Amino acid sequence: MASTNSWTHELESKVSAPRKFRACVMDWHTLAPKLAPHVIDNAHHVEGDGGTGTVRHYNCGSAVPFNTMKKKVEFLDADKCECKYTIECDGVETSTWNIKMKPTANGGSVANVECTSKGVQANDMLKVKESAAEMFKSVEAYLIANPNAYN
């Protein structure tokens, strides 16, 4: 039987929830190769309109222990900055992600990220968790440096 690993991350940001959500979730396939090529080498659209049911294919970089990922959006509420998606790595369904971004009193946001994986080694999941945190930080830096992006 495959093992199951779960983790959660709470990531605070100086960037508003809607901007951060649009960049991290809605447009990550475009930003990732630019901001984190060691995580995502390139990405392309497979099907859907960007909402629920959308599928995107990613070729992974050296920072993650997989060659390819296919991400399917299972739920998306852009107004509430919430989504759920499943990921297949190298053709095997490996994880389910839930992301919720909430505004903070100082105009920033906090992202709650939950990931449950199946059949992935604990050390590989640690790499994925670290890559996710790095992704959120790199998007924050990009948005702070480009204040008109994703408004």
Side-chain angles (χ1 to χ4, degrees):
M1 179 174 213
S3 63
T4 300
N5 296 303
S6 296
W7 54 264
T8 59
H9 233 332
E10 187 173 280
L11 302 159
E12 293 185 25
S13 175
K14 296 175 184 175
V15 176
S16 71
R19 281 185 74 211
K20 190 82 179 256
F21 188 80
R22 284 191 292 271
C24 285
V25 175
M26 305 293 291
D27 200 37
W28 183 238
H29 61 286
T30 303
L31 280 179
K34 296 174 188 172
L35 300 180
H38 57 291
V39 177
I40 300 296
D41 185 43
N42 60 62
H44 66 271
H45 183 80
V46 176
E47 64 183 65
D49 61 3
T52 300
T54 295
V55 177
R56 292 194 172 98
H57 176 89
Y58 297 80
N59 289 311
C60 301
S62 60
V64 292
F66 313 110
N67 294 315
T68 63
M69 290 190 318
K70 186 168 84 171
K71 176 175 145 182
K72 181 177 182 183
V73 178
E74 303 292 344
F75 169 79
L76 178 68
D77 187 331
D79 293 332
K80 290 185 179 179
C81 299
E82 297 180 10
C83 72
K84 176 181 179 179
Y85 54 87
T86 54
I87 291 184
E88 290 181 6
C89 294
D90 295 336
V92 177
E93 184 177 328
T94 57
S95 58
T96 301
W97 293 64
N98 290 291
I99 299 173
K100 295 179 183 180
M101 293 190 192
K102 303 280 185 191
T104 56
N106 65 0
S109 61
V110 62
N112 293 299
V113 182
E114 298 176 11
C115 178
T116 302
S117 66
K118 298 182 278 188
V120 178
Q121 298 296 322
N123 61 335
D124 287 343
M125 278 310 295
L126 180 60
K127 290 178 188 176
V128 171
K129 183 178 182 180
E130 290 169 353
S131 293
E134 182 183 329
M135 171 199 73
F136 276 81
K137 289 175 187 174
S138 66
V139 169
E140 177 179 35
Y142 173 81
L143 293 173
I144 289 171
N146 297 278
N148 293 323
Y150 297 96
N151 281 321

